[in-house]
Amino acid sequence: MADRRQGLGHGLTNYGDQDFSLYLRRSFAQSMGYSRTLLEKPVIGIAYTASGFNNCHRHFPELLQAVKRGVLAAGALPIEFPTISLGEVFLSPTSLKYRNLMSIDTEEMVRAQPMDAVVLMGGCDKTVPAQIMGAVSAGRPAIMLVAGPMMTGRHRGERLGACTDCRRFWAHYRAGEVDENEISQVEGQLAVTAGTCAVMGTASTMACLAEALGLILPGTAAIPAVHADRLRAAEATGGAAVRLIGSPHTPDRIVNAKSIENALRVLLALGGSTNALIHLTAIAGRAGIRISLEQFNRLSDSTPVLVNLKPVGNGYMEDFFAAGGMSALLRELKPLLHLDCMTATGETLGERLAGEPTVYIDRSVIAALGEPFEPVGGLVALFGNLAPRGAVLKRSAADAKLFEHEGRTVVFSSLADLAARIDDPALDVTPQDVLVLQNAGPHSSECMPEAGYLPIPKKLAKQGVKDMIRVSDARMSGTAYGTIVLHVTPDAASGGPLALVRNGDQIRLSVKERRIDLLVDEAELKQRAAAMKTCAPQAERGYAKLYAREILGADEGCDFKFLRPSALASSSS
């Protein structure tokens, strides 16, 4: 019988007779038309996440064929297998609830099925972190292939891209500046090709961070989904997966304290999505690494914003690709990076950069390190009595005039309350007030949706108000903008101080001091806490029950406690 340590010989089903197990497995494999010659080869699994509910992945059938070409050309047998796919806008209550489920699916199928290495095909917001989390936990040789961003559409001579422009035009519509006919026209031009959002939202941020971590092929994060280079990258990824067979460079070793710090630097230089901090924290946690928000602030203060893309700047992902992409950005950040970090190609980050040819860099899109677009990182963590374990502000997408501000609170106790009252003409609200949303965090029944981008009340939008301070325990789309404090931890549903905020209280925001404080005396807060009832959901069955029992806070990546290494899990709240 053939070597049971390779190809179909991996992890034989236990019938009490290993030779019979391999004989039976081969018999069933031959029913699918494989020759004995192919069945003797090593196997590359392909975690395949195409779905009719995931528009970002609709080009995956073509990409899959390219991956298979690369695997076959390199001498191995490609076998795709399905896992859960998370289409961001097609999931209720939110895709974050199912990220951990997808990570479990990925981990278990990679570990349980016979493969020597695996290609992870993902792209839409939560699919990339879910696959990386699962791959880190599985510990098998793995490499990613990301979907790539959409190309932009056109409306009346203007380029449009999902989803920053979605929000911009919707704000104009709410303010009465765009009519029904035009908003309908815009709707059809926002997402015109396969791929992920055309701006530096969560999907593109996570693709760039996967490259910074060394988990995808160099230079492939920003290739547009419909570009021929994306197919060539897929073929090359298949070949790279074959070369990973037997390699010690598995995701659980590639992801370490140094590579995580590199990824944090890149996140800050991109002015990337706030969601990425949650995902990186979860990925790091799977490798036994804790990200502290204090450390994050130190990195933010020494990492400038170098990329001029929406929602922070003006460009789109296709511009980033043409401007030099991640190769150019990493070269600029080189003095700040750990160059000895190993990558899935078997070379260090420093070796990669030294071996790459000098490329053209469009300085209107990617700035030089010494001449940045912003002198400090795009994100900053806040602390204070309202967020004892931290909150996050995307300062590069906010109004600096609001960075030092004290205002009266207008409180919404839930998303239902927000929907019912935000456009009420009688709502008592001014532009100087602070909008507060409670019970939208990870422990709530809403499971931390991207609801932190509270709309400007219609009565103020019609007056021309474009931004005001908004505070919540929810998340915000990476494509959104505004002076928005997110991920307030502990969240309201788990009894955090955010639950104690009442209409008319005063909140002080100080980006300079890295603080967000509720200006209510301690005695009054204790009285409110004593009278407070918990809002944590009581799920009865299934995955919802597992989620409610195991979910951790935003500061721990919203992972499940039982999925983290024991050393980290034992210290979790």
Side-chain angles (χ1 to χ4, degrees):
M1 282 293 183
D3 187 354
R4 297 194 190 104
R5 296 167 296 178
Q6 177 178 288
L8 291 183
H10 275 298
L12 290 168
T13 310
N14 192 353
Y15 299 107
D17 181 337
Q18 294 291 283
D19 288 338
F20 171 74
S21 296
L22 185 56
Y23 159 77
L24 187 62
R25 179 174 287 179
R26 279 191 173 143
S27 174
F28 277 54
Q30 288 186 75
S31 77
M32 293 185 280
Y34 291 115
S35 67
R36 283 295 297 264
T37 301
L38 271 180
L39 294 180
E40 297 289 343
K41 293 182 178 293
V43 172
I44 300 298
I46 306 171
Y48 187 55
T49 57
S51 167
F53 289 109
N54 194 336
N55 61 290
C56 299
H57 295 188
R58 72 174 171 87
H59 58 314
F60 273 25
E62 189 177 21
L63 282 182
L64 175 64
Q65 295 310 310
V67 174
K68 287 184 171 183
R69 287 199 304 269
V71 173
L72 287 167
L77 171 62
I79 301 180
E80 79 270 21
F81 61 95
T83 70
I84 290 168
S85 181
L86 304 178
E88 181 66 22
V89 302
F90 293 96
L91 288 161
S92 176
T94 174
S95 61
L96 183 66
K97 178 177 180 179
Y98 301 102
R99 182 202 64 183
N100 296 345
L101 181 61
M102 184 177 177
S103 82
I104 294 171
D105 188 6
T106 302
E107 173 186 349
E108 297 301 336
M109 290 302 97
V110 168
R111 184 184 290 120
Q113 297 176 129
M115 63 191 75
D116 298 281
V118 62
V119 174
L120 307 167
M121 292 181 64
C124 196
D125 289 20
K126 308 306 176 295
T127 64
V128 171
Q131 289 184 315
I132 295 176
M133 290 161 67
V136 169
S137 295
R140 288 272 183 93
I143 189 166
M144 286 207 75
L145 173 67
V146 294
M150 297 177 188
M151 302 294 281
T152 53
R154 297 292 187 275
H155 173 69
R156 299 182 181 179
E158 179 185 1
R159 280 202 301 171
L160 297 182
C163 195
T164 300
D165 295 323
C166 313
R167 300 175 192 284
R168 178 168 59 88
F169 271 92
W170 192 253
H172 288 321
Y173 174 67
R174 284 174 49 80
E177 299 165 2
V178 167
D179 62 20
E180 290 276 0
N181 180 59
E182 185 173 1
I183 199 68
S184 180
Q185 293 175 19
V186 169
E187 181 181 308
Q189 293 299 316
L190 288 164
V192 295
T193 76
T196 56
C197 287
V199 299
M200 190 56 75
T202 303
S204 291
T205 301
M206 290 309 303
C208 292
L209 298 189
E211 185 166 336
L213 286 168
L215 295 171
I216 66 176
L217 287 181
T220 63
I223 302 169
V226 297
H227 199 295
D229 280 353
R230 176 57 59 193
L231 291 170
R232 285 186 276 270
E235 184 178 301
T237 300
V242 178
R243 292 190 292 276
L244 273 171
I245 294 173
S247 167
H249 307 311
T250 51
D252 53 315
R253 295 177 179 175
I254 290 173
V255 175
N256 54 45
K258 288 183 176 181
S259 65
I260 286 290
E261 184 170 304
N262 284 349
L264 288 170
R265 292 275 193 194
V266 168
L267 169 60
L268 292 161
L270 291 169
S273 169
T274 50
N275 286 307
L277 183 55
I278 288 179
H279 299 321
L280 268 180
T281 300
I283 291 166
R286 293 294 183 95
I289 301 156
R290 182 181 296 279
I291 292 177
S292 81
L293 292 179
E294 291 85 359
Q295 171 203 12
F296 181 68
N297 276 344
R298 289 192 293 272
L299 294 174
S300 186
D301 288 342
S302 58
T303 309
V305 175
L306 299 181
V307 176
N308 178 25
L309 296 189
K310 291 187 175 188
V312 171
N314 301 313
Y316 294 89
M317 283 300 294
E318 62 194 67
D319 304 316
F320 183 57
F321 172 64
M326 279 295 294
S327 292
L329 180 62
L330 290 170
R331 194 172 291 113
E332 290 300 328
L333 289 173
K334 190 174 177 180
L336 303 177
L337 300 176
H338 297 287
L339 300 178
D340 58 340
C341 288
M342 187 58 64
T343 70
T345 62
E347 60 186 352
T348 65
L349 176 59
E351 289 168 341
R352 169 208 163 163
L353 295 177
E356 286 183 339
T358 302
V359 296
Y360 166 75
I361 301 176
D362 184 343
R363 292 302 184 190
S364 69
V365 178
I366 303 172
L369 184 62
E371 301 178 60
F373 294 117
E374 299 287 343
V376 290
L379 282 68
V380 63
L382 306 171
F383 299 91
N385 72 344
L386 191 59
R389 284 169 31 205
V392 176
L393 172 72
K394 189 171 182 177
R395 58 182 167 187
S396 58
D399 185 347
K401 293 191 290 292
L402 295 172
F403 283 4
E404 306 298 318
H405 183 85
E406 182 179 322
R408 182 189 64 154
T409 60
V410 178
V411 180
F412 301 94
S413 62
S414 65
L415 283 172
D417 184 34
L418 174 69
R421 294 195 296 121
I422 191 67
D423 288 337
D424 187 343
L427 182 67
D428 181 13
V429 63
T430 73
Q432 291 73 42
D433 291 336
V434 176
L435 302 182
V436 175
L437 173 63
Q438 301 167 323
N439 297 308
H443 293 90
S444 73
S445 59
E446 306 296 344
C447 304
M448 207 180 187
E450 292 182 344
Y453 183 74
L454 280 68
I456 301 297
K458 186 172 284 188
K459 64 188 291 183
L460 298 182
K462 288 182 175 180
Q463 297 170 20
V465 175
K466 304 298 184 186
D467 194 13
M468 57 193 300
I469 295 175
R470 286 155 278 182
V471 178
S472 77
D473 48 11
R475 295 178 298 115
M476 176 175 80
S477 169
T479 64
Y481 48 86
T483 311
I484 303 174
V485 178
L486 304 155
H487 312 175
V488 172
T489 307
D491 66 352
S494 63
L498 185 68
L500 306 179
V501 183
R502 301 291 180 264
N503 273 317
D505 289 346
Q506 294 285 312
I507 282 180
R508 179 187 295 135
L509 168 66
S510 175
V511 176
K512 180 180 179 181
E513 296 178 8
R514 310 289 191 267
R515 293 193 65 87
I516 180 85
D517 288 295
L518 177 61
L519 305 183
V520 175
D521 67 69
E522 192 64 30
E524 171 63 19
L525 291 178
K526 287 182 178 179
Q527 287 184 0
R528 293 180 186 180
M532 186 175 64
K533 296 181 179 179
T534 180
C535 294
Q538 301 298 316
E540 294 184 358
R541 62 181 300 280
Y543 179 69
K545 187 170 185 176
L546 177 66
Y547 177 95
R549 188 186 73 203
E550 295 290 338
I551 192 68
L552 296 168
D555 60 325
E556 296 179 292
C558 297
D559 201 0
F560 288 165
K561 185 175 181 179
F562 77 96
L563 294 176
R564 290 152 63 91
S566 56
L568 276 183
S570 63
S571 64
S572 299
S573 59

